[in-house]
Amino acid sequence: MHFVNPQMTVTIGAAMAAGMAMLFRMRASNKAVNPKKLLIPPFAMSTGFLMFVVPMTRIPLSWGIVIFLVGATLFAYPLIRSSQMEVRNGGIYLKRSKVFIFILVGLLVIRILLRQFIEQYVTLPQTGAIFFLLAFGMLLPWRLAMYVQFRKLQPVKNLQG
């Protein structure tokens, strides 16, 4: 009887998610952005915090804060730097970035290596919780930075009736 290796399944899932992010990013540069497109992903992802209702996913609060901050600084920074917007055809578009794909692949490799290390010390559900916090810490500042860029490029609307 063959059993599925949970670690390999997670690694393959992470690689597929990175591939989807690359595909969506390339397609996104062809469509104008708006506040909903920028802010809904972190809002939707925040529902993942419900995992902490289940006791087996809980980690110490201090770990969670550090992990979130690592995502928000070390992981978000290259994404923020490589995500620039421009005004084109009356809309605001995300500029294509050749380095973005390399950044995503690099972050994926780092996450896979970290996961293999961390799994030695905590349970698989706790590992999932750690990497959720890392990903959320990366996504939130990145999307907020893009929203700030969007607002700076958005034309000032006439407030006089």
Side-chain angles (χ1 to χ4, degrees):
M1 185 181 282
H2 292 28
F3 292 100
V4 176
N5 180 336
Q7 287 83 3
M8 186 55 68
T9 303
V10 169
T11 300
I12 291 169
M16 290 173 58
M20 293 295 290
M22 288 181 231
L23 179 67
F24 285 133
R25 175 65 187 271
M26 287 187 281
R27 291 179 67 209
S29 64
N30 297 328
K31 297 179 183 177
V33 296
N34 62 47
K36 285 182 185 178
K37 288 181 183 178
L38 297 173
L39 298 177
I40 285 178
F43 178 75
M45 187 178 177
S46 69
T47 62
F49 281 101
L50 290 172
M51 83 171 76
F52 294 107
V53 170
V54 179
M56 70 165 81
T57 62
R58 294 181 189 154
I59 58 173
L61 180 61
S62 60
W63 293 13
I65 292 168
V66 169
I67 293 160
F68 177 86
L69 291 174
V70 166
T73 55
L74 299 179
F75 282 61
Y77 180 76
L79 294 172
I80 292 168
R81 296 286 297 162
S82 66
S83 299
Q84 301 300 316
M85 294 187 191
E86 64 185 349
V87 177
R88 199 173 4 134
N89 303 327
I92 300 173
Y93 292 80
L94 205 50
K95 286 184 187 178
R96 282 191 184 251
S97 171
K98 292 178 184 175
V99 296
F100 183 78
I101 291 172
F102 295 109
I103 290 169
L104 274 183
V105 170
L107 291 175
L108 174 65
V109 168
I110 292 168
R111 286 181 61 198
I112 289 170
L113 294 173
L114 278 173
R115 180 177 286 279
Q116 290 178 348
F117 175 75
I118 289 171
E119 284 175 345
Q120 298 173 24
Y121 302 101
V122 297
T123 66
L124 194 58
Q126 288 174 320
T127 302
I130 287 168
F131 281 90
F132 166 79
L133 290 171
L134 184 72
F136 190 76
M138 176 178 64
L139 181 71
L140 183 63
W142 175 41
R143 291 302 185 128
L144 290 175
M146 287 196 298
Y147 178 74
V148 168
Q149 277 187 57
F150 174 86
R151 295 295 293 179
K152 286 180 182 176
L153 292 174
Q154 191 176 33
V156 178
K157 296 192 182 321
N158 186 356
L159 298 176
Q160 299 174 349

